[in-house]
Amino acid sequence: MMLLEKFNWYTSDVDASHKSAEERYRYITEWAGCARGTNPQVFDELSEWILTGEKWSDTEIIENEKCFKTITEHFIKQNRLLRAELNELMSSGVVNTSVFDALDRFDDELVGNTHADYLKETVTKVFGDFTSLRDPKIRTEFAGGITGTAGVNSVEIFGYINFLKDCDAAVQWTLFMPGLTEYQQLQAGIKVDSFEYMRLSTVRFIGVEKDLSGDDAALKGLLNTLDSMSEHRCGFDYDTILLHHFGKGVDVEQCHAVWGRFFKENTPVPGGMEHIDFISQNNGSVGAPYISQFAFAKFTGAVDSMLSEEGFDANAMYDITRNIILGQNVCIPYPDKYWTAEVYLDGFGKDCTAYMFSIEK
């Protein structure tokens, strides 16, 4: 198996002794960015390889166990090397300390101490006896599905290898995302004025799934209705376009945009409108009720650039908010509880200058 050679492994900078702390850290973050372009596909290949386990002979399963262990051992050694070099740079203040939490989680997963409760039994069996991969259920849960280069493709089972893929990504995100978000803000001509994590407890979002940007009469009607419900305000009263995919992957469910506001739980829903409920903790279901935890970013600068899509995965505010979250190693509950929102701090008809992004802490 040649998968080992396909991963983009970190190696120390041979010229590190002649460089400043900033230059040494840049060397590490540049490796992380390159690895993000390579490793996702290799992890998918690793999942595909494990799914062929039913065909492995007794000799092959012995050799393949050695191959798998070699990969995990390489990651353990790489994490140890990164941790040592990052610790050396700590006093300079250049290191994003969130990387250490990401390394801790990755180290746990690599030795079979998975944080995914529903996979603990499967992972323990495979680490104790690699031949257990001949069991179709165990093999499927261990391998998981093919989540693609961006890691967002829908899969029936999110397995152990998928978690390794995410842990590898988390280490790299915490390294290069802070620099990327600074570049993206400069590129777009905007700035993150404030950023915080918030929770709204149990609330209900009420609105209409219709593009009202070119329908002044319909927008006025919506606002009149929402204004008439002032007794049900929850304290987060901004005009908002809620964006969600019913808890499904973006590759299988289109984005649904609902124009409205957040209200207290169980607020009566006016005729012709819809509602989406939110709770403060994950209840394990797919889709609504969503989790009312989110990152809230406010922006200043070139307003026309805030929702610009050119050069971004979605748009400038979406990308920058998401990338700050990833850089801080905070969980985005994709796809089951994933949602985002465009926020109009001064009301619909004015500029959209804030963004909400679902998280789970």
Side-chain angles (χ1 to χ4, degrees), residues 28 31 75-87 95-110 115 166-172 174-175 329:
I28 297 173
W31 159 78
F75 274 111
I76 291 170
K77 291 178 182 177
Q78 175 180 274
N79 288 357
R80 189 181 303 125
L81 175 61
L82 283 169
R83 193 185 298 273
E85 295 191 7
L86 291 168
N87 274 320
V95 178
N96 175 18
T97 57
S98 295
V99 67
F100 294 109
D101 287 338
L103 287 168
D104 288 344
R105 167 70 190 277
F106 200 6
D107 284 341
D108 281 347
E109 295 289 343
L110 287 166
H115 290 211
D166 275 4
C167 287
D168 179 56
V171 171
Q172 291 147 14
T174 55
L175 289 169
N329 196 33

Side-chain angles (χ1 to χ4, degrees), residues 185-224:
Q185 292 175 66
L186 182 63
Q187 176 189 38
I190 60 179
K191 179 182 178 182
V192 177
D193 189 52
S194 67
F195 182 93
E196 60 182 318
Y197 295 111
M198 298 180 64
R199 185 198 306 265
L200 293 181
S201 190
T202 304
V203 292
R204 170 169 286 178
F205 189 84
I206 297 176
V208 294
E209 187 180 337
K210 181 181 179 182
D211 184 357
L212 302 179
S213 57
D215 192 338
D216 292 341
L219 179 57
K220 183 177 180 180
L222 170 66
L223 291 174
N224 287 339

Side-chain angles (χ1 to χ4, degrees), residues 146-148 150-156 245 247-255 334-335 338:
I146 309 306
T147 59
V152 297
N153 291 4
S154 299
V155 294
E156 290 187 10
H245 301 261
K248 301 177 182 178
V250 297
D251 57 323
V252 297
E253 182 65 37
Q254 66 179 352
C255 182
Y334 180 89
Y338 165 76

Side-chain angles (χ1 to χ4, degrees), residues 237-312:
D237 306 317
Y238 302 116
D239 290 349
T240 300
I241 300 177
L242 180 69
L243 307 161
H244 71 114
H245 301 261
F246 289 110
K248 301 177 182 178
V250 297
D251 57 323
V252 297
E253 182 65 37
Q254 66 179 352
C255 182
H256 297 266
V258 185
W259 294 51
R261 292 178 194 157
F262 287 94
F263 293 92
K264 294 178 181 178
E265 63 178 314
N266 300 320
T267 296
V269 182
M273 302 180 75
E274 63 179 87
H275 74 280
I276 302 167
D277 287 332
F278 289 75
I279 54 179
S280 60
Q281 298 290 339
N282 198 334
N283 66 353
S285 67
V286 174
Y290 292 117
I291 308 172
S292 62
Q293 302 176 34
F294 58 95
F296 189 42
K298 296 180 182 179
F299 293 81
T300 56
V303 173
D304 290 342
S305 298
M306 292 182 186
L307 293 176
S308 173
E309 298 178 3
E310 186 175 353
F312 297 97

Side-chain angles (χ1 to χ4, degrees), residues 49-50 52-66 68-69 122-140 142:
W49 173 68
I50 290 174
T52 67
E54 62 181 332
K55 302 176 182 179
W56 296 344
S57 66
D58 290 345
T59 300
E60 287 175 325
I61 207 162
I62 292 172
E63 290 303 313
N64 290 341
E65 180 179 14
K66 293 178 182 177
F68 176 74
K69 286 184 176 179
T122 290
V123 173
T124 298
K125 285 182 178 179
V126 176
F127 270 71
D129 179 9
F130 206 67
T131 63
S132 62
L133 286 174
R134 286 178 171 150
D135 183 312
K137 181 177 182 294
I138 292 177
R139 184 169 61 250
T140 301
F142 195 79

